[in-house]
Amino acid sequence: MLLNWITIAPRRTLALISAACLGLLAFGMYLQHVVGLEPCPMCIVQRYALISIAVFAGLASLNGKKAWWMGWSVAALAMAGFGAFTAARQSWLQWYPPEVAVCGRDFYGMIENYPISRAVPMIFRGSGDCSAVDWTFLGGSIANWSFVCFVVFAMLLLVLLGSPRARRA
C-alpha cells in the first residue's frame, strides 16, 4: 500500500521530499535563532545538503518527463548520500569525541582562509563544536536525527528510481 502510494505519482513524492527538507531547514533555523544553538561546520554542511535535496527534488517534481525527473532525482539521491555521510561522521564524533576538544575555525573562516582542498578535510575532521550534543529528542542528537532523515530521503528516492511503475509514469 505504502509502496504504491510512493510510486504511483512520483512527482507528488518528490514534491513532498522537497517540502520535508524545507521543513527541516525551518526547524534548524528555529533552533538557531529562537533556541540559541549555534551550528557547527558539519551542521552547516548538512544544511547545504538539505537545501540541495530540496532544490533537486523540487526541480524533479516540476516536469513529468521521465528523463527530467529521473535526472534530478539522481542528483537529489547523491546529495542525500552526502548528507547521510556527514551526519554519520558527526554522530561518530559525538559518540567518540576527540581526546583534545579544540574549537576549530568556523565554517566560513575555513572556506575564506584556506583553499578548498584544505578546508574540506578540516570540516570533516570536526572539532569540539561538532562533538558537542546541545539538543536531544528521544535520546538522539541533531546529527543522529539528520542521519535518519537523509537515509529516509535516500530510500524514497531509491524506491522511485527503481520502481518500474514510477519509471513508466
Side-chain angles (χ1 to χ4, degrees):
M1 171 89 176
L2 180 63
L3 188 61
N4 287 338
W5 190 87
I6 292 169
T7 60
I8 200 157
R11 291 175 63 192
R12 174 187 59 205
T13 303
L14 290 163
L16 288 173
I17 290 171
S18 183
C21 287
L22 293 175
L24 289 171
L25 287 165
F27 183 66
M29 293 293 125
Y30 166 79
L31 288 176
Q32 181 177 354
H33 296 292
V34 176
V35 177
L37 299 179
E38 284 301 315
C40 71
M42 293 180 104
C43 295
I44 293 171
V45 170
Q46 291 171 54
R47 284 186 184 179
Y48 284 127
L50 276 175
I51 290 168
S52 299
I53 295 168
V55 168
F56 295 154
L59 285 170
S61 71
L62 291 178
N63 194 328
K65 293 181 181 172
K66 183 172 93 168
W68 174 272
W69 74 260
M70 287 187 82
W72 287 114
S73 295
V74 167
L77 177 62
M79 291 311 299
F82 175 71
F85 168 79
T86 307
R89 173 72 176 137
Q90 185 177 3
S91 294
W92 188 85
L93 284 171
Q94 290 174 349
W95 292 328
Y96 305 105
E99 301 259 339
V100 179
V102 179
C103 291
R105 292 179 159 258
D106 68 328
F107 179 78
Y108 298 107
M110 286 186 232
I111 298 297
E112 289 175 356
N113 295 320
Y114 296 103
I116 196 74
S117 62
R118 189 161 171 218
V120 170
M122 288 172 66
I123 291 168
F124 287 103
R125 193 173 308 121
S127 65
D129 293 344
C130 292
S131 63
V133 178
D134 298 327
W135 181 90
T136 60
F137 178 70
L138 297 176
S141 68
I142 295 171
N144 302 146
W145 286 108
S146 293
F147 176 76
V148 169
C149 291
F150 282 122
V151 168
V152 167
F153 295 146
M155 288 173 48
L156 287 170
L157 290 163
L158 282 171
V159 166
L160 275 180
L161 290 167
S163 167
R165 170 186 271 170
R167 285 193 305 243
R168 283 192 303 263

